[in-house]
Amino acid sequence: MLRHWSALLVLLALLPLAHAASEDHNQQTALFVLNRLGYGPAAGDVTRVTELGARDWIAAQLQPEGIALPAETARDFAALAQRQRQALSRLSELASAGRPDTAEKERRQALRREIFREIAEADLDCRLQHALRSPRQLEELMTEFWFNHFNVYSGKAEVRALAGAYEREAIRPHVLGRFRDLLGATAKHPAMLFYLDNWQSAASGSRRSEDSGLNENYARELMELHTLGVDGGYTQQDVTELARMLTGWTYDRRALVSPESAFRFNPRWHDTGSKRWLGETISNQGLLEGEHALDVLARSPATAQHISRELAQFFVSDTPPPALVSRLARRFQNSDGNIREVLQTLFASPEFWQSARTPRFKTPYRYVISALRLQGITQPPARPVQAALLQMGQGIYGWPTPDGYKVSESAWLNPLAMQQRLDFATQAGLGRLDREAELANPERMQAEITPLLGVNTLQVIRSSPPALQPVLLLASPEFMHY
Amino acid sequence: MNRRDFLALLAASAALTVPVGRSAWAAGTNGQATDRKLVVILLRGAVDGLSVLPPWSDPDYYQERRRIAIARPGEEGGAIRLDARFGLHPALASLVPLWQAGQLAFIPASGSPDPTRSHFDAQDYLETATPGTKSTGTGWLNRLLATLPPQGSGDRALSLGATQPRILTGTQPVTILGSGKAASRQSALDRPRIASAFDALYRGNDRLSQQYRIARNSREQLRMTLESEMDEASRGAPLPDGFAGDAQRLGRLLRGNPALQIAFADLGGWDTHINQGSGEGQLANRLEPLGKGLVTLARELGQDWDKTVVLVMSEFGRTIRENGTGGTDHGHGNVMWLLGGNIAGGRIHGEWRGLSERYQSRDVPVLNDYRAILAAVLTQHLRLGDRHLASVLPDIPVTAAGWQLLRS
């Protein structure tokens, strides 16, 4: 470790810095970890990390339950969760008795839209405020990472009401835990069951309605995207056989007020025939067939490799060094998919620290969240923020397909992206995004990230009128990177 | 089909070959300027080609799709008869005048020879034109741009949507227009005081500065068109949202602008695993605005419609047999659509053997390699020569054997 640190110091000395004092180095290091393990500095963060030391700060981030939330934050988060649950509980108002007439149908549809909107707004507030306010920044970042890995899209009917619950119930509790737990939680959550259609998949002819049978959507993405990876060595037959093993994995629509307990296994829909999957013969074991499949997939070396590569891409580089990916994959396998341990290896790796030399282009989500954090905006109106994100192509819960958003520069850097970011910087920097918020103090904002700013940027800001300075800080090339 | 099979097939069909390229195409030569345009529309998610172009005279079609088949022509909600084998989805009725005018053609059993049923790999292959190779860093439309001689100065390629698609990734600058009404919204770049400060922030030679300057220049250029649009909007006649609006905007930008040679748009929402419907329903609701948008594009292009080819494609087709949830799963061969004022339209191109011959006993086979079709469009429409064709479509020999997609 010591060796890595001295390597970092050497490397930081190579950066074009205005000053090379060691205090500056410490601040640079603090900014690096705040940017890579979280959504960038909010007021006072750099000082806090510098005082604690970057290594200890990282260790603390890996044990988020040990980081106390400020009392007000804790209270607000609890209130947000309560608001989400209350909005969800209104779904019971939609429960129907008997056959409705036309007027009643219309009334119910309007009510459904209203309830869905209420849930979606609570979900957006919850996601945004956690990212903006939580001192457990790594937990927030990993929530984004895993949601994206197990992506669902709120534009698909029921998912609109379930995306926030999915994040809270299936993703968040496991973001640093065991991969198998995460996999199982997503597999059984109604958001995923609905999004990838498995909830209706049934053995041929097993349901009363004539339109019953297999749907292989989830089975394919489970192997291609969630676990083995597209080159993980499975065939079309493996897809179909896995879909058969997962028949009967569904949920109870009447139980959606508490989605995490809505999962049901319906033995009557299950395909009881024997299956041949990944070279193994599977006899009829009902629900256990699917559980077995998740066990096998979670422990496969291909999965370890696939997840490790994604993590390295997320934290280190668009094209991560293969040696690093192999080390992470080994740790993944040796620890039986313990995500915390894999991340420990990652954050201790020389490759991670060396990547400080090549700042990365922020995704729109990172850009927007980091801009709000730097400005000290903690409770923005969710709608304009989401609208800006959608325009930039990265709305919250807004990616339609199961592959999730990309993280690479090539996916996000283009002329329009520059224009949109500068538009956002202008809107936010002039205080037009959140009129309630106190206008950000440009000097405080600048002080927080000064060690990152190059000569040109400092000069441009200095020679501009004060009202424009926050805009230019957010618009600067240095702030576009992390 | 691997490369060797492909070559063998080409050799076998040599007798039927209409040779193209430098030696054969009299009107065009390598590197000669062309005022023609190419518009590519990618339907992401694998549209069900057997619903777009139902093979209504094939008994297997109704056997395998008891609930979702498009009914026969003449029946209620039935297909629009195109010829003795194929019909058109009734939600695409708006396209019939183009078909009758010979400005719309289809190529069934077409697509990528790669066997993948992954949306994401298959889309990558369609966009890089290197099936089976994932490491290709550039898209074929961008490589095409690099070989096409520019026409005057100004933006040469437009993409609708918020991000740069893989198909347009590469060395050549591309204007990303954004989609929907937001595309024509006011920008901070329109405000001289702020924009000049941004200019000072981004005056370097780094990637961000380069992208910034492209944005700045495009903004200036597009301002005329966009401003007229904003005027219209303020008079209470805004462009419709969705593809119809985008198509109208695209048509206006392309019309009378020889510099703009390439345009790209993508549309999602075609992954109909569940309740896709037949004459009406989910898929019909997606197809209808697409058809109307294409008609709008043709209309807005005006006299430039004769100089334009529009290619509509999707990463792979869907299963011949409907699945257990009223939808279809990932398949193989699909349908490519070709539109334009000067195409050899009003007919179905390419090989078709009916639904009894299947790929991996379940899907429509790929009998018409999409790269051969692209090659035909590039040589016959954009008059690309052999050498340039090889740089756009590196995997195949320089030929568009057997394809005559443009009116000669």
Side-chain angles (χ1 to χ4, degrees):
Chain A
M1 193 50 166
L2 193 62
R3 191 162 44 86
H4 303 152
W5 276 86
S6 42
L8 177 71
L9 291 176
V10 170
L11 155 176
L12 288 177
L14 297 172
L15 289 171
L17 300 176
H19 313 285
S22 84
E23 191 190 340
D24 226 36
H25 286 166
N26 291 340
Q27 283 180 9
Q28 290 249 1
T29 309
L31 283 162
F32 171 66
V33 298
L34 281 162
N35 271 324
R36 289 290 173 96
L37 276 76
Y39 295 106
D45 277 350
V46 175
T47 311
R48 270 190 286 277
V49 177
T50 313
E51 279 169 10
L52 187 63
R55 267 181 304 178
D56 288 349
W57 185 80
I58 290 177
Q61 288 294 315
L62 283 163
Q63 307 286 345
E65 57 286 351
I67 303 173
L69 298 179
E72 196 194 338
T73 308
R75 206 167 46 237
D76 288 354
F77 284 2
L80 278 166
Q82 180 63 14
R83 194 179 130 207
Q84 280 183 306
R85 273 191 293 271
Q86 257 165 12
L88 260 174
S89 73
R90 288 196 63 196
L91 285 175
S92 62
E93 293 173 35
L94 293 174
S96 53
R99 191 167 292 179
D101 58 18
T102 317
E104 173 61 14
K105 253 190 199 156
E106 272 170 24
R107 194 195 65 84
R108 266 191 214 155
Q109 262 167 16
L111 181 64
R112 183 183 142 104
R113 276 194 298 274
E114 180 199 314
I115 294 173
F116 275 30
R117 191 171 53 242
E118 191 182 320
I119 297 172
E121 277 175 11
D123 289 350
L124 281 183
D125 276 334
C126 191
R127 164 65 90 90
L128 281 174
Q129 290 197 33
H130 272 81
L132 292 170
R133 300 173 71 183
S134 176
R136 302 164 179 174
Q137 282 282 291
L138 179 62
E139 182 178 76
E140 294 311 315
L141 203 63
M142 291 307 290
T143 300
E144 183 201 347
F145 174 85
W146 286 120
F147 188 102
N148 199 52
H149 178 82
F150 293 104
N151 188 45
V152 301
Y153 170 50
S154 71
K156 182 167 174 174
E158 247 92 323
V159 183
R160 186 162 159 80
L162 295 171
Y166 175 70
E167 177 167 307
R168 191 176 63 246
E169 298 166 352
I171 304 287
R172 207 171 255 288
H174 308 292
V175 293
L176 294 170
R178 279 182 71 235
F179 180 75
R180 174 62 178 86
D181 295 338
L182 185 57
L183 185 65
T186 59
K188 290 180 173 170
H189 201 277
M192 181 61 80
L193 287 162
F194 182 85
Y195 174 59
L196 289 179
D197 306 327
N198 203 79
W199 71 290
Q200 287 203 329
S201 187
S204 184
S206 63
R207 292 167 65 186
R208 249 175 300 166
S209 64
E210 65 166 295
D211 58 338
S212 66
L214 209 60
N215 183 311
E216 60 187 44
N217 199 8
Y218 176 64
R220 176 184 310 281
E221 307 305 4
L222 173 58
M223 290 196 284
E224 175 179 332
L225 300 172
H226 299 169
T227 59
L228 304 178
V230 69
D231 298 317
Y234 57 91
T235 64
Q236 173 57 43
Q237 197 198 333
D238 291 323
V239 172
T240 309
E241 296 294 276
L242 179 56
R244 292 178 62 212
M245 291 163 72
L246 290 164
T247 44
W249 284 50
T250 186
Y251 67 92
D252 184 351
R253 291 187 103 170
R254 288 161 306 181
L256 280 185
V257 287
S258 55
E260 64 189 323
S261 47
F263 173 77
R264 299 285 184 276
F265 175 71
N266 184 340
R268 277 168 303 146
W269 289 5
H270 188 67
D271 184 331
T272 53
S274 86
K275 293 113 191 161
R276 184 88 190 148
W277 178 65
L278 296 178
E280 187 187 351
T281 302
I282 311 285
S283 59
N284 180 32
Q285 297 165 69
L287 173 68
L288 294 181
E289 289 170 40
E291 295 285 2
H292 173 69
L294 297 182
D295 288 342
V296 169
L297 291 172
R299 296 210 170 110
S300 160
T303 300
Q305 182 74 19
H306 180 205
I307 301 296
S308 297
R309 191 178 146 75
E310 261 182 20
L311 284 169
Q313 243 163 0
F314 192 72
F315 284 104
V316 179
S317 149
D318 291 351
T319 49
L324 172 65
V325 175
S326 305
R327 289 208 305 285
L328 298 180
R330 253 196 321 276
R331 188 73 184 261
F332 187 99
Q333 282 200 274
N334 295 342
S335 66
D336 199 17
N338 184 317
I339 299 158
R340 194 188 321 265
E341 291 189 23
V342 176
L343 287 181
Q344 262 162 3
T345 304
L346 197 157
F347 298 142
S349 73
E351 290 93 338
F352 173 68
W353 292 100
Q354 277 154 15
S355 73
R357 201 188 332 208
T358 43
R360 313 183 65 192
F361 187 62
K362 289 175 181 173
T363 63
Y365 185 70
R366 255 185 208 268
Y367 178 70
V368 165
I369 300 294
S370 61
L372 296 174
R373 280 175 63 81
L374 185 65
Q375 279 194 296
I377 295 178
T378 53
Q379 299 178 61
R383 252 189 237 190
V385 176
Q386 172 76 338
L389 286 167
L390 284 167
Q391 250 173 52
M392 296 186 209
Q394 201 178 17
I396 295 169
Y397 313 137
W399 184 248
T401 50
D403 54 338
Y405 290 113
K406 295 190 168 57
V407 296
S408 62
E409 174 178 310
S410 62
W412 294 112
L413 176 57
N414 65 63
L416 183 67
M418 289 301 292
Q419 181 190 320
Q420 287 169 330
R421 275 174 209 218
L422 298 176
D423 284 345
F424 182 82
T426 308
Q427 194 190 8
L430 294 178
R432 293 192 183 142
L433 192 72
D434 185 358
R435 288 170 204 274
E436 306 289 304
E438 228 175 286
L439 210 54
N441 173 348
E443 279 158 35
R444 206 243 342 119
M445 279 171 64
Q446 186 174 330
E448 200 74 28
I449 58 166
T450 294
L452 295 179
L453 301 176
V455 183
N456 184 55
T457 297
L458 286 168
Q459 204 175 347
V460 173
I461 292 174
R462 233 188 343 261
S463 58
S464 298
L468 205 53
Q469 288 178 1
V471 174
L472 295 175
L473 263 181
L474 301 180
S476 70
E478 293 88 342
F479 195 73
M480 300 270 176
H481 288 93
Y482 70 105
Chain B
M1 184 159 56
N2 59 31
R3 184 184 150 89
R4 188 168 302 158
D5 292 343
F6 187 80
L7 290 170
L9 181 73
L10 287 173
S13 61
L16 302 169
T17 297
V18 178
V20 291
R22 196 203 316 260
S23 53
W25 190 260
T29 50
N30 248 351
Q32 197 172 78
T34 169
D35 59 354
R36 297 181 173 187
K37 301 175 190 300
L38 177 63
V39 178
V40 174
I41 294 170
L42 182 51
L43 307 181
R44 296 189 192 274
V47 67
D48 179 34
L50 291 174
S51 292
V52 171
L53 196 71
W56 61 270
S57 58
D58 193 324
D60 279 3
Y61 181 64
Y62 294 97
Q63 187 67 34
E64 297 284 43
R65 296 184 161 211
R66 289 171 184 275
R67 280 167 295 144
I68 62 160
I70 309 300
R72 293 179 181 82
E75 292 175 11
E76 199 188 325
I80 300 157
R81 188 184 193 278
L82 295 183
D83 67 10
R85 297 176 300 173
F86 293 102
L88 186 64
H89 193 291
L92 293 170
S94 57
L95 292 174
V96 169
L98 287 175
W99 173 265
Q100 287 165 344
Q103 298 179 351
L104 168 65
F106 293 98
I107 303 141
S110 58
S112 162
D114 189 89
T116 185
R117 288 188 182 86
S118 154
H119 290 297
F120 316 106
D121 278 3
Q123 286 174 27
D124 278 354
Y125 296 154
L126 216 55
E127 296 184 68
T128 57
T130 57
T133 306
K134 290 190 196 175
S135 54
T136 311
T138 56
W140 68 264
L141 270 184
N142 197 287
R143 297 196 299 270
L144 171 62
L145 212 52
T147 69
L148 275 185
Q151 287 277 298
S153 63
D155 290 345
R156 300 178 61 206
L158 275 185
S159 178
L160 298 180
T163 55
Q164 173 153 292
R166 186 134 188 194
I167 197 169
L168 274 166
T169 300
T171 57
Q172 301 300 304
V174 169
T175 299
I176 314 288
L177 193 61
S179 60
K181 288 174 192 147
S184 47
R185 244 182 22 160
Q186 286 284 352
S187 164
L189 298 188
D190 304 332
R191 299 162 67 176
R193 203 169 58 103
I194 298 182
S196 68
F198 291 160
D199 289 348
L201 283 177
Y202 291 98
R203 58 181 157 209
N205 283 319
D206 55 292
R207 292 191 299 279
L208 268 63
S209 294
Q210 287 167 15
Q211 299 296 312
Y212 169 77
R213 283 195 293 269
I214 297 172
R216 236 345 212 136
N217 290 336
S218 308
R219 193 75 202 168
E220 293 287 323
Q221 280 184 43
L222 297 178
R223 190 175 286 167
M224 294 261 289
T225 313
L226 296 171
E227 267 172 5
S228 72
E229 198 175 290
M230 283 181 252
D231 287 349
E232 278 174 45
S234 62
R235 269 187 255 117
L239 290 184
D241 238 336
F243 185 62
D246 285 340
Q248 196 166 342
R249 188 174 292 116
L250 187 61
R252 287 180 190 183
L253 289 166
L254 289 170
R255 180 179 58 205
N257 182 352
L260 268 179
Q261 296 166 296
I262 306 277
F264 174 82
D266 51 9
L267 291 171
W270 307 101
D271 196 17
T272 49
H273 285 277
I274 210 162
N275 299 334
Q276 71 176 51
S278 57
E280 289 175 358
Q282 224 187 120
L283 179 57
N285 294 342
R286 303 284 307 156
L287 287 173
E288 191 181 346
L290 171 60
K292 287 186 172 156
L294 290 168
V295 172
T296 303
L297 178 62
R299 190 188 61 227
E300 289 292 334
L301 274 163
Q303 56 191 22
D304 280 350
W305 178 238
D306 286 347
K307 299 173 185 165
T308 304
V309 165
V310 180
L311 252 175
V312 183
M313 49 194 202
S314 193
E315 66 264 31
F316 43 66
R318 308 190 70 86
T319 46
I320 293 174
R321 190 186 184 100
E322 65 195 11
N323 69 12
T325 53
T328 42
D329 292 323
H330 301 184
H332 194 53
N334 204 342
V335 175
M336 284 171 82
W337 323 13
L338 200 65
L339 302 90
N342 198 35
I343 65 152
R347 49 175 291 208
I348 309 291
H349 288 270
E351 195 180 349
W352 172 258
R353 297 182 196 152
L355 294 177
S356 55
E357 185 181 312
R358 297 186 187 180
Y359 175 75
Q360 294 182 351
S361 15
R362 66 179 234 163
D363 299 329
V364 174
V366 170
L367 304 172
N368 306 298
D369 190 305
Y370 75 113
R371 294 164 302 171
I373 297 159
L374 298 182
V377 171
L378 298 182
T379 53
Q380 294 162 16
H381 176 57
L382 297 177
R383 304 180 174 185
L384 226 60
D386 302 2
R387 190 166 51 84
H388 287 154
L389 187 61
S391 73
V392 181
L393 304 172
D395 268 6
I396 59 158
V398 185
T399 180
W403 294 94
Q404 187 60 50
L405 298 178
L406 273 284
R407 272 183 232 154
S408 40

